[in-house]
Amino acid sequence: MTDTAQPLDMDSEGLRSRAVMALTNARRRTELLTSCVEDGELTAQHSPLMSPLVWDLAHIGNQEEQWLLRTVGGREALRPEIDSVYDAFEHPRATRPTLPLLAPAEARAYAAEVRGRALDVLEGSPLRGAPLVDAGFAFGMIAQHEQQHDETMLITHQLRRGPAALTAPPPPAPETARRLPDEVLVPGGPFTMGTSVEPWALDNERPAHATFVPSFFLDTTPVTCGAYLEFMADGGYADARWWASEGWATVREHGLEAPLFWRQEGGQWLRRHFGVVEPVPLEEPVLHVSWYEADAYARWAGRRLPTEAEWEKAARHDPATGRSLRYPWGDADPTPERANLGQRHLRPAPAGAYAAGESPLGIRQLIGDVWEWTSSDFLPYPGFAAFPYREYSEVFFGPGHKVLRGGSFAVDEVACRGTFRNWDLPVRRQIFAGFRTARDAGEGEL
Ligand SMILES: [Fe+2]
């Protein structure tokens, strides 16, 4: 089966300006995330789970130097002596504060100097030929890398103690009072999963391949905080029946009783969200739950997490044409009306928002708002080839990592599409992850 999504139909100049815009957007966000706090907060470690913000900043510059200046541009190394300090595989996050890191001003100047030269390389690149430069891939890859670190830095901001440093307007509420169905039937049959034509898709999204998905029902929206509270009130955290054994062990070991950042006060559940303590927003998708918590909720509800193939079929398959779309709403790029992306808002929108972004079957908020845990392990597609290096995806394949789909409010559109795959450990809670549930379709329901 061929990949039926429409590729970006652009000439070199179109691709060049798309690359410039993606790099510029990423840098604007990096600057916001590293200028809204004092320098002392950039060098501090706010959680052993995270790097100091200043490490991310210089690491962004160093990766850009290595790929765009040295590899694509053939330029001489600017700061080869810092490569090892900013090698994510050499130093786990917990130890990064002990490294000889560039000071904030130096890190900023380094990243800016690299950027200036990278734009020169882009200007002189034909954006055709070798796979690394074809259609501007390396530039798109580096823009995605920076945006992914921006999301990581936003997680650090969420973990940071102290008053709010970031603000943003609230996301839109659902437009109509029309009650949406709780779930939608996705009819069984084959669909095209992954992509071979999306120019900036990463190796793990490739190649396009036919996948058969039996009929199933999927929640119309992500599971809300209000629904999750019912699971808690029903003793969900105290009942081993709902939990995978390792998840149950984690609940017992850490005394878990609610999502991360939640606490109970005077009978009311509150949460700390970017430095502000607020009542848990009942209508918003639940955030900061591990895969184990998502899986336990689904079992309690008599349901299950969707597989990754089910999720992608719900997000991309157009039953009218049989085509796989780039996004639930079609092949056009995201807009503020279609999806909550890019840190435009600092929280997910209430369940049922973004009617303009719904899938052909009427499923909402698949893109943006919260990352959605799936039941699937992170594995290569048939025909996978590591590109441009094994450490991008291949070394993470296996049963240790679960796949997340759809992107959160903290993901930029350059790093979010119907085929985009994220992965993490099933115990992870600080990421902007929620979930929706699924169930098999019974014979009488088709
Ligand atoms: Fe990185």
Side-chain angles (χ1 to χ4, degrees), residues 182-201:
D182 290 338
E183 60 179 4
V184 170
L185 173 67
V186 180
F191 91 106
T192 303
M193 186 172 185
T195 180
S196 299
V197 297
E198 184 74 35
W200 293 355

Side-chain angles (χ1 to χ4, degrees), residues 55-56 59-60 63 86 88-89 96 145-146 148-149 389:
W55 185 92
D56 288 285
H59 167 81
I60 286 167
Q63 285 289 300
Y86 295 103
F89 285 90
R96 291 177 190 166
H145 177 259
E146 181 161 354
Q148 286 170 314
H149 275 275
Y389 57 115

Side-chain angles (χ1 to χ4, degrees), residues 90-173:
E90 229 174 280
H91 309 287
R93 286 176 175 175
T95 65
R96 291 177 190 166
T98 64
L99 298 169
L101 302 178
L102 300 188
E106 211 182 345
R108 284 192 184 99
Y110 169 62
E113 182 168 4
V114 170
R115 174 53 54 86
R117 294 176 188 220
L119 292 175
D120 282 348
V121 171
L122 174 59
E123 194 55 45
S125 168
L127 304 186
R128 272 192 306 274
L132 196 58
V133 293
D134 197 43
F137 175 82
F139 300 92
M141 177 183 80
I142 285 298
Q144 291 179 70
H145 177 259
E146 181 161 354
Q147 286 284 1
Q148 286 170 314
H149 275 275
D150 289 343
E151 182 177 14
T152 302
M153 288 196 277
L154 194 64
I155 295 169
T156 305
H157 275 277
Q158 166 62 11
L159 285 161
R160 173 186 155 264
R161 292 280 168 177
L166 292 160
T167 57

